Amino acid sequence: MGNTAVVVGGGIGGLAAAIGLRRIGWEVTVVERAPVLDDAGAGISLAANGLRALDELGVGEAVREASRGQYSGGTRTPDGGWLTRMDGAALEKAMGTPIMGIPRATLHRLLREPLPAEALAIGSAAGSVQQTDHGTVRVGCADTVLEADLVVAADGIGSRVRSLLFPAHPGPVYSGSTVLRAITEQAMELRTDFELTWGRGAEFGHIAFQDGRAEWHAVLNLPAGTRFADPLAELRRRLRNWHDPIPALLDATRPADVLHHDVDELGTPLPSYTLGRIALLGDAAHAMTPHLGQGACQALEDAVTLAAALATEPGVEAALARYDAERRPRSQAVARAARQAGRMGQQLSHPLAVALRNTAMRLTPARAATRMILRHHAWNPPQLN
């Protein structure tokens, strides 16, 4: 019998980890507590680093075929003025690919396709995770106990496995922002592929998809737990003077499709992403704010790096030590940069500070702005084959 792994969590990071482990010859079971894989979520942008990870996992081509490249757009003010323009062609020339926009449900489906049905244990929560004296890990799921050589905890920002491994860690904290998002019901005639609009303590953005529909999101500075009886009506009120196509995007959305989540993050970095034969991955390890669009990309980097380490190191412990050494500095640096981007972008609310930021952005040369984006995208995956 070969090496075995249990992946806790069937989201983007967990599925990617399962693909990577299977590509290096491991037997994998993905344990997902949700009884039905409804693929909740709106849209996602994948930068070059995430796409390269997907290439190494063997699903990059399928993801690109289902995505739309982001060539036009940028960042605007509520009255429609441009702060920066996106040069997607320059990004593509520098990185070999544009940023790609794709519905989350489509990405989840494409990540499940390489996995056999028997590898997915749906509706099965990991109630306990215990390391044994003989070098294995036991995962208790309802009336079943799975024993494996490795457990990958990809169970999200509220990771139960993380709390078991690091009980003294404070866990996720509220970032100060809450996000509402949805995908339009029908196709839209949009002039740009991607936009962000920054007001005072508020952001609205959209991603255009291949089928003509669009994802939109609104990020607001609000107390944690704030909810609205009619989210669309509340956004229309708050954004009533904001530029087109914001009103059209809201009007093209069914009320039942609007998702509302507070933006939490791991404000205190973890001291390690591993303990024994257990590895934390994705949001369980480094949940970050969405202001750089790097959350999923970092999880994909995790998945490839973990598989490569296990394929080349002499044992699981050595592989996990390498995984932690390679992934923790980079992902925690990206998390810090995302937090700072939020503070200087969407979360900024003082009129003078907003005016100074807007002036600085307008004066920043396009090449300098492109270099700032590329510093997070410039990552090359280790080879799995």
Side-chain angles (χ1 to χ4, degrees), residues 46-52 91 95 99 288 291-298 301 327 329-342 368-380:
L46 293 171
N49 54 322
L51 291 165
R52 287 171 178 164
L91 288 173
M95 292 284 101
I99 301 171
M288 61 190 69
H291 299 99
L292 291 178
Q294 275 288 310
C297 290
Q298 291 302 305
E301 288 188 19
R327 292 303 306 147
R330 171 165 164 79
S331 59
Q332 290 181 350
V334 173
R336 288 193 299 270
R339 186 181 307 121
Q340 183 63 22
T370 299
R371 284 198 300 270
M372 291 176 66
I373 295 173
L374 294 181
R375 65 178 177 170
H376 302 300
H377 298 188
W379 175 84
N380 291 307

Side-chain angles (χ1 to χ4, degrees), residues 100-139:
M100 307 293 287
I102 186 172
R104 280 184 176 268
T106 303
L107 180 58
H108 285 191
R109 174 177 58 79
L110 293 173
L111 288 172
R112 282 199 303 271
E113 285 183 353
L115 301 174
E118 60 270 19
L120 300 172
I122 309 304
S124 183
S128 63
V129 179
Q130 296 178 327
Q131 308 209 47
T132 72
D133 294 334
H134 55 277
T136 62
V137 188
R138 288 177 179 164
V139 180

